């Protein structure tokens, strides 16, 4: 790649939506990347190409199209495995997204392994998809759900984890690699090593980390790892659950149906090998194939370059936002400890109103609880504004956001 | 920014100084509702005397639109006959604030505007079931509330 | 539309893949439509258009792109509801496909309503996705799974249903509207009325019917109805579960996470309204939007015209295939009682070999158990060949299939 | 159709008249396996004497490729030393029938060809665990079988 800022500027041309004009012919500034990212032509075209040229159901047929689609589909599994440094691509299971992946674990692993009185530990900054499945499970099993609280800096209070682990009742510790609201990057190594010492399983919700930083699953040492393709240039409807082969092999199946079976008889059935045991029914073939192109695109830029680019944007944005009177920033002040996600509130103006007003200037941020109401309760707010960055964002766009926020003050006569 | 189709003087003013803001202890009707999209919650309190809304208050967090609509709604129904209140519809509320256009232009913000009305309908629904034993009116209210947005 | 055969010939131009040459430059003859159908440009373009112009996560944000994508997404729900003659579009729940839809019912309805000793009735001609979830459920609950057998004509023996119902223990009767192997169309009215008289819930697996015939859910009177978009010109990764509002409202949720909640607190959560209660996490937005175009495309042709076109092809194919010595046809001889699906075996040649040999002539059929091993056991075969038709298929293509089958005889020196 | 890269005389012939077709009652090793993609199942029966495959038979449904491969595999291992059999690899089997090209050209049909070998490896795996107490060989066999396709 050529030298950084230019190179990143250059890749904007691959994203057709970035040419969009919105509202009164305003240039789109897309800062809602933590919700979903935009897609490059490479991904969009791969999906069209599949439908135009070799669309077919996979795995079972012997005809030409089926062979081509099966190969492209399975090739994606290998690409995902390499991207995460996973040796055995049979450990890669395609799901709809992070939410389905976590629920799969809660049903297929949780129902067999969590008993009355057991503890599942999560954190205060989790997305609803890493809370609700465990509420459902612990309620069903009369087990307990415990939270690691966050401190004023938005960081996890790990001594609470020690307390929980010391009870000997913890079966699973589950946490997000990066908070989708505060941007806080969790101390993965420390958590995993504590859990491993206690013989406790670990699930990492990587929805916000895998798109933005290098991840090496061979080193992390967790047991389950889940993320969504649509938050990393990929199509909607594809996500990944990774787990160790030994764990997956012992797990009961989740959804029953085609492809996940070896032999079906009237009253008993045997399960297929990994990963198929957990991929019942026709998968989202086109989008899995498109997802491969998203990973290739990210790898070409380099995950470390992406992390640096976002860090630069985040530093710049934090500096500029600090200058705005009445603006409250959430999360740690140290940019190195966070990803490219900035949550803020502006005077007493409700985030919904901020969102609507700056949207008129073409700026797309998210305003709401970000599916993190437990965290909102902790921060003692109903909602926040959130600007989140990705590879195609620029400092100039941050300037537009800043100007738009000034405008909010005018509308509300602050 | 004069001429902003949403953030009129009136709405900004209501969002700063909502009317009928507060709680009623032991209210005859207490309805809690939330907008699952943004986390806003409101609590609506009503007292009924002689089939009239004798007292009404609301409490909660919400955006300017939500606060203004709650304010205006509570103002409009205070003292009104239950039979009139039960027929109250969204156009009446929206037009009072010049927000009819939201129905078409903003499927998301319309939910902020109508949360108050939804709570009202669900709130008096239970009252029609329990106190008035009027299951027809109650059924209608329930349907209306569910179909509001 | 202009007069039928021509009109159907004409629409082939909308399907780019039909111009494919496969193997030794053979024209593709795609007869694997029961597995998945091809997609018209209208659907492919709608997906690209979404990603190029208004890709955004839905429901929660107030910015322009989010409003556009939310509207297109929710508009699809209305289109599906109208297509099925469902009055309240909140009863339409988007899932990945038939398999996820049936599993959703088995988990969210089944776990609460099926108790030890209860009976679930299915049939011998079900797809694995309408057997395995019920095996899992009945095993877990120590309930019983019972089968309605099929007669020599490939039709259900309904007196067995009477016997089961008379026990008073049946909680659910679940069956496919059309068999994906035999093409048999189930006597829906009769089954539903028997079940309603007995106060028993009914699930219809409509994966093979909705794509091929007019369905009026307002008349059928079943409780659950499930199908897949990819079998009806739509993208992979989208399906529909329909159920009555009263049933859905009483059901526990299935997947926990974003969008399906009203309020999340640390230790308890309330559920969102229908349909969102059952749509946790970021849905497959692009493909749901693309799916709308598939339905519009089908409606423009007219479902009755489609049924007639396929009936004509089926009659023709059956006639021609009967002339081939050594060819065994499965299922009823009356074309009116079946859809455009023909299963057959050819002398003692294994279906896999038939499939591979005719694939060299460009003909794509499916060879295998078609995810219906219980039926295979009944038919006393390991596998069959299956040719299945759709709107773009022609009589000339059937001639190519017939010629290709003659060739199999030559290879195997029959 | 002479020159068909799959359906050679030899394969057609084996599919008509498979070798070593049948069961062995009370076999020392009985391995059942299935190809989940097509429903084909085979049962492989082995007797072992003096560390040699003294008897071998197979039974089941399968396509011409599967039947031919089962036939050839059983022919090739009959009488062989267990240590040699354990090293037997897919190239040996495929080249005997001229089917090496399937590895590249047909990810689906290669599974038909190698079902026999997979069953063999899983079958003697258990034998190495239970009878030979040779966990290293067993582990290798298990890995090989799982990674065959
Ligand atoms: C009758 C029937 N039911 C269920 C399914 C499963 O559908 P899907 O694979 O889309 O989940 C199919 C198709 O494979 C089918 O034909
Ligand atoms: C941290 C985190 N976890 C889980 C999710 C849920 O992902 P999805 O909606 O793709 O299932 C998200 C995104 O919404 C997230 O940010």
């Amino acid at each position: 790649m050529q030298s950084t800022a230019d190179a990143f500027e250059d890749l904007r041309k691959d994203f057709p939506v970035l040419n969009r004009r919105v509202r009164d012919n305003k240039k789109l500034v897309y800062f809602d990347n933590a919700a979903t990212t935009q897609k490059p032509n490479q991904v969009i075209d791969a999906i069209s190409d599949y439908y135009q040229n070799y669309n077919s159901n996979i795995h079972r047929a012997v005809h030409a199209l089926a062979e081509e689609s099966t190969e492209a589909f399975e090739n994606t599994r290998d690409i995902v495995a390499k991207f995460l440094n996973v040796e055995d691509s049979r450990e890669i299971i395609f799901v709809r997204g992070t939410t389905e992946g976590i629920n799969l674990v809660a049903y297929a692993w949780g129902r067999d392994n969590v008993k009355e009185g057991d503890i599942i530990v999560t954190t205060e900054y989790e997305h609803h998809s890493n809370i609700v499945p465990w509420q459902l499970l612990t309620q069903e099993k009369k087990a307990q759900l415990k939270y690691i609280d966050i401190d004023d800096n938005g960081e996890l209070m790990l001594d609470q984890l020690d307390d929980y682990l010391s009870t000997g009742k913890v079966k699973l510790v589950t946490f997000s690699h990066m908070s989708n609201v505060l941007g806080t990057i969790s101390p993965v190594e420390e958590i995993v090593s504590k859990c491993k010492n206690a013989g406790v399983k670990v699930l990492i919700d990587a929805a916000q980390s895998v798109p933005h930083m290098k991840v090496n699953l061979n080193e992390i040492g967790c047991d389950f790892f889940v993320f969504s393709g649509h938050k990393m240039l990929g199509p909607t409807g594809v996500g990944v659950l990774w787990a160790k082969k030994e764990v997956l092999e012992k797990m009961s199946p989740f959804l029953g149906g085609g492809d996940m079976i070896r032999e079906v008889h009237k009253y008993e059935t045997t399960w297929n090998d990994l990963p198929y045991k957990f991929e019942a029914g026709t998968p989202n073939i086109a989008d899995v194939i498109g997802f491969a192109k998203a990973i290739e695109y990210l790898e070409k830029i380099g995950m470390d370059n992406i992390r640096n680019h976002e860090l630069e944007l985040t530093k710049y944005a934090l500096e500029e936002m600090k200058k705005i009177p009445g603006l409250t920033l959430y999360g740690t002040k140290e940019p190195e400890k966070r990803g490219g996600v900035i949550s803020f509130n502006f005077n007493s103006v409700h985030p919904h109103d901020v969102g609507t007003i700056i949207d008129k200037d073409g700026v797309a941020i998210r305003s709401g609880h970000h599916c993190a109401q437990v965290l909102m309760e902790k921060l003692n707010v109903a909602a926040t504004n959130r600007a989140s960055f990705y590879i195609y964002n620029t400092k100039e766009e941050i300037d537009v956001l800043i100007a738009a926020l000034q405008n909010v003050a005018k509308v509300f006569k602050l | 920014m004069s001429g902003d189709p949403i953030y009129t003087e009136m709405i900004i003013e209501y969002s700063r100084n909502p009317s009928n803001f507060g709680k009623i202890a032991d209210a005859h009707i207490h309805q809690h509702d939330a907008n699952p999209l943004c986390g806003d919650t409101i609590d609506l309190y009503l007292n009924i005397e002689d089939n009239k809304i004798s007292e009404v208050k609301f409490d909660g967090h919400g955006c300017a639109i939500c606060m203004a609509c709650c304010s205006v709604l509570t103002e409009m129904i205070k003292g009104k006959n239950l039979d009139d209140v039960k027929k109250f519809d969204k156009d009446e509320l929206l037009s009072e604030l010049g927000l009819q256009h939201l129905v078409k232009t903003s499927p998301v913000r319309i939910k902020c505007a109508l949360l108050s009305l939804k709570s009202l309908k669900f709130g008096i629904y239970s009252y029609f079931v329990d106190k008035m034993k009027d299951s027809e009116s109650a059924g209608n209210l329930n349907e209306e509330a569910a179909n509001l947005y």
Side-chain angles (χ1 to χ4, degrees), chain A residues 23 348 350 352-357 360 367-370 373 380-383 407 410-414, chain B residues 1 4-7 9 12 15-16 35-41 61-65 105 108-109 112:
Chain A
R23 306 302 182 195
S348 60
H350 190 284
H352 254 185
D353 299 318
V354 174
T356 295
I357 294 169
K360 290 203 188 113
S367 312
H369 55 57
H370 317 293
Q373 287 191 310
N380 200 19
V381 294
N407 201 16
K410 265 190 238 147
V411 172
F412 272 80
K413 303 205 174 61
L414 299 172
Chain B
M1 283 293 287
D4 187 298
I6 296 179
Y7 295 97
E9 296 271 343
I12 304 272
S15 80
R16 292 249 171 77
N35 183 342
L37 305 184
C38 60
D40 288 352
T41 55
H61 304 275
C63 59
I65 298 176
T105 59
V108 175
R109 301 312 303 276
C112 307

Side-chain angles (χ1 to χ4, degrees), chain A residues 57 60 280-283:
Chain A
N57 216 322
R60 287 182 300 262
T282 304

